[in-house]
Amino acid sequence: MLPTPTSEKALSRGLLDVLIRAGLIAVLAIFCFEIVLPFLSLIVWSLILAITLYPLQVRLRRKLGNKDGRIATLIVLIAIGIIIVPTYLLGVAMVDSVENVMAMVKSEGLHIPPPPESVASWPLVGRRLHDIWQQAATDVTGLLQRLAPQLKDVSRALLVAVASLGKGLLIFVFALIIAGIFMAYGEKGSRSAVRIASRTFNREKGPRITVLCTATIRAVAQGVVGIAFIQMMLIGVAFVVKGIPAAGLLALAVLLLGITQLPATLITVPVIVFVFATEGASAATIVFSIYVFIAGLADNVLKPLLLGRGVDLPMPVVLIGALGGMVTGGVIGLFIGPVVLAVGYQVFWQWVEDQPQTGGPGDEKPI
């Protein structure tokens, strides 16, 4: 039966209505995204922190009563105090150290002891390090002029790193406050997440996808903080035993760098240089330097061991998602990457397993 002109007109009108509605929905979605975009990073951080800290709120709820608002406020205040107080002490200590060094240089001048002859026998870098050290002991001004371009690049990189760290801490504090609001309505938020996932996938897969995303975020967050804490302990004990000035504050700086996914070598390498400049090359100094340098790289070994614990996924999936997300999206990508890859992994294998049933051997088609 051929379609009549009336049915064709109705079909084209229906298609036009669908296109107009889709266009209006697309325009609305674009406007909403542009409005939320300036706050997107803050919202994502808040969700990550709320999901990570919510188990603590559940535990405190049993002891302090069902007062989610007060419990969330208490957790946020304690977390902000844990972040702000060490950061303030570290900043004050750094300013005092710089002032003391400048005062010492003005009063006594800058005296660098000559290098031991054994430094020249070190493999690969011994001769070059001995020459630079010798020039620093005899002609500091000439050495600074010689290394001026490199020092300029290093100073610029340090300033960018410090500015980025300050911005990250500020965003982190605001994200904690918003995370407290999310935690105060944690049960409603959990139900909403399940409903959204069920609408996106189906009623059977929705709850499982929600649990998977939550477990992945918590595993990555606990793995990052746990690795940073272990690294702080390994390096901090060595600093205390060696008698490094402000060892506690330097250990806290290692913890902050680990949480923000910056290398601990930003702290360990200057300390190693300071120890060699003040104590010279000896067996104890070399052992300390090797240990501290290896401890500063320990996160590369600990991440594959701790990052995927508690998640029903192969560890390489979580690790690749974390590393790839960090490369493409920075610190936030460290959390988003494993979640996206985990959901994609689960959906893919569910699609592979949900194959249509065949009636029998005779129904199979030859390749």
Side-chain angles (χ1 to χ4, degrees):
M1 181 177 180
L2 296 176
T4 62
T6 304
S7 62
E8 290 181 355
K9 187 176 181 181
L11 180 62
S12 61
R13 182 178 299 176
L15 179 60
L16 182 61
D17 291 341
V18 171
L19 293 177
I20 292 175
R21 292 175 183 176
L24 292 176
I25 293 174
V27 171
L28 179 61
I30 292 173
F31 274 110
C32 291
F33 179 76
E34 290 182 352
I35 292 172
V36 177
L37 183 60
F39 309 98
L40 186 60
S41 176
L42 185 64
I43 294 174
V44 172
W45 263 120
S46 302
L47 289 173
I48 292 171
L49 292 173
I51 292 173
T52 304
L53 296 175
Y54 190 71
L56 178 61
Q57 176 161 338
V58 174
R59 294 180 183 178
L60 293 177
R61 183 190 299 165
R62 302 171 184 173
K63 300 178 180 180
L64 303 179
N66 295 324
K67 299 178 180 179
D68 289 336
R70 295 182 181 180
I71 297 174
T73 303
L74 178 63
I75 294 174
V76 170
L77 291 177
I78 294 175
I80 291 176
I82 293 174
I83 294 172
I84 295 298
V85 173
T87 304
Y88 173 76
L89 294 176
L90 179 62
V92 171
M94 291 179 63
V95 172
D96 292 340
S97 300
V98 172
E99 291 179 352
N100 293 334
V101 170
M102 293 179 64
M104 183 179 65
V105 171
K106 289 181 180 179
S107 60
E108 303 177 2
L110 183 60
H111 301 288
I112 300 177
E117 294 298 329
S118 59
V119 175
S121 61
W122 291 1
L124 300 179
V125 298
R127 175 55 60 183
R128 181 174 178 81
L129 179 60
H130 182 275
D131 295 340
I132 295 176
W133 195 340
Q134 183 67 36
Q135 186 177 1
T138 56
D139 184 15
V140 179
T141 304
L143 179 62
L144 292 177
Q145 292 178 353
R146 172 186 169 189
L147 300 177
Q150 292 84 350
L151 293 176
K152 183 178 179 181
D153 295 338
V154 172
S155 301
R156 186 180 303 168
L158 289 176
L159 289 176
V160 171
V162 171
S164 177
L165 182 60
K167 179 183 177 182
L169 287 175
L170 187 62
I171 294 176
F172 199 77
V173 170
F174 281 106
L176 273 173
I177 297 174
I178 300 176
I181 300 175
F182 288 158
M183 287 189 295
Y185 300 93
E187 294 183 359
K188 295 181 180 178
S190 178
R191 290 195 296 267
S192 300
V194 172
R195 292 176 61 187
I196 293 172
S198 299
R199 186 68 178 89
T200 304
F201 299 96
N202 56 48
R203 292 185 178 181
E204 295 180 359
K205 298 179 181 178
R208 286 187 293 175
I209 294 297
T210 305
V211 172
L212 175 66
C213 295
T214 303
T216 304
I217 291 175
R218 287 174 182 166
V220 174
Q222 293 170 4
V224 170
V225 176
I227 291 170
F229 183 79
I230 293 173
Q231 203 168 23
M232 179 197 71
M233 294 298 297
L234 293 174
I235 297 174
V237 169
F239 285 175
V240 172
V241 172
K242 190 61 177 176
I244 303 297
L249 293 177
L250 291 175
L252 288 175
V254 171
L255 177 63
L256 294 176
L257 290 177
I259 293 175
T260 55
Q261 294 301 293
L262 293 175
T265 50
L266 294 176
I267 301 294
T268 58
V269 171
V271 171
I272 292 173
V273 173
F274 170 79
V275 170
F276 272 102
T278 54
E279 300 183 11
S282 62
T285 302
I286 294 175
V287 171
F288 168 80
S289 302
I290 294 175
Y291 170 79
V292 170
F293 185 76
I294 294 176
L297 302 176
D299 57 331
N300 297 315
V301 179
L302 294 175
K303 281 179 181 178
L305 299 177
L306 300 179
L307 205 56
R309 295 184 62 183
V311 183
D312 188 17
L313 283 172
M315 185 273 297
V317 174
V318 181
L319 181 61
I320 293 173
L323 297 179
M326 185 174 61
V327 171
T328 57
V331 180
I332 294 181
L334 180 70
F335 299 91
I336 298 177
V339 172
V340 174
L341 201 60
V343 173
Y345 177 86
Q346 290 286 353
V347 171
F348 172 75
W349 278 109
Q350 287 178 7
W351 172 77
V352 171
E353 294 173 357
D354 293 341
Q355 295 184 6
Q357 298 294 330
T358 57
D363 295 333
E364 296 179 358
K365 296 181 180 182
I367 299 176

